[in-house]
Amino acid sequence: MEVARRVLCDVVAEHGPTLATDARRLRYILNDLCPDDRKAVFALSAAVEARVTAELAASTRATALRVERAGRRLADELGLAEDVARWAVESWAIALGYAGGDGGGHGGGNGTGQGDHRAALVVCAQGRGDLASLAQALREAPPWSRIEVLPGVYAEPLVVDRPVEIVAVGKPGEVVAAGGVRLAAEYALVRGMGLDAGAAPDGGPQTLFGVDVPRGELFLEDCDVSGAELACVAVRGRAASATLRRCRVRHGRQAGVYVSLGGASALWECEISENGGAGVEIGWQGSPALHRCRITGNGTYGIRIYAGGESQVEECELTGNRLGAWSVEDPVAE
């Protein structure tokens, strides 16, 4: 599929961005140049027919978040596999110059164009940025903007009430937010952050959920989520969804990831370990999908399902959990 991505970039450069509005012409060109990659040609053409390219062109702000949102919409509307839909949208973002990337199709590069980088709101705990408080940055950032967080510990509860990207700038473990994160917006993306709810700010009460998603859609990439009284990550509600990629989820007092009350989530290549209860707990009509995850060393089960919950599990490792890999309990009452 990466050949098709390179070809797309070349033909858009040659024929101009109007190609992003002509699915029939695009399909003809790609079929001629990529005859052996029908899946990629279909996905790229489908993105045009679904007006994903128009959505990307609507704004150059928060491009990575727009890619995530458009990819999910493409998957839902056309029934494409989520990773294929995301690849198609990311390919168009790169070809049209709205995003940077390394051609890997898995979020490589910083995910934004240079215009986004210059417009970012910079947070530095040592006072060398626009603001010293991440919570204040969330209150002041315009919708669809990007917040870059420099190394430091930000010990403050965070409420994300508008669509933004929060991106750590530094090596893994250098940027830590303590105190919990709650999503109160339609979309948000968090990348590269340490999210430690184990130590409550100012000696306050223990945070119940390290990352709390009662509504909206949250994308977590390359984050280390740890601590919390009930669960490190909670997705709880029919209007709630979370996608985790390459995240570590550990040291929750009870569950690592909790999905209930009709919530949905997708976990890709995550490690969920050393939680006091189940690694993944699926309650009332929760429906997470787990792909190539490692769920190990948890205090009860790797995955616990009850009260009408369900899960799709693909190529996951479920070893070393104290009571076993699975528990499927009473489907009627939680």
Side-chain angles (χ1 to χ4, degrees), residues 20-105:
T21 62
D22 190 341
R24 183 176 179 180
R25 183 179 176 214
L26 173 74
R27 190 180 295 112
Y28 176 83
I29 293 172
L30 292 183
N31 278 332
D32 184 50
L33 297 176
C34 308
D36 297 324
D37 207 342
R38 300 294 186 187
K39 180 169 71 172
V41 171
F42 175 82
L44 294 170
S45 303
V48 175
E49 293 173 338
R51 294 188 56 78
V52 163
T53 48
E55 184 175 329
L56 291 175
S59 174
T60 58
R61 286 185 172 179
T63 302
L65 182 54
R66 290 187 182 275
V67 167
E68 295 289 356
R69 184 182 71 166
R72 175 57 61 85
R73 180 170 68 82
L74 191 61
D76 291 344
E77 291 182 3
L78 300 182
L80 293 177
E82 183 181 336
D83 54 345
V84 173
R86 183 171 182 263
W87 173 88
V89 177
E90 186 181 63
S91 296
W92 271 115
I94 294 171
L96 293 171
Y98 300 138
D102 62 357

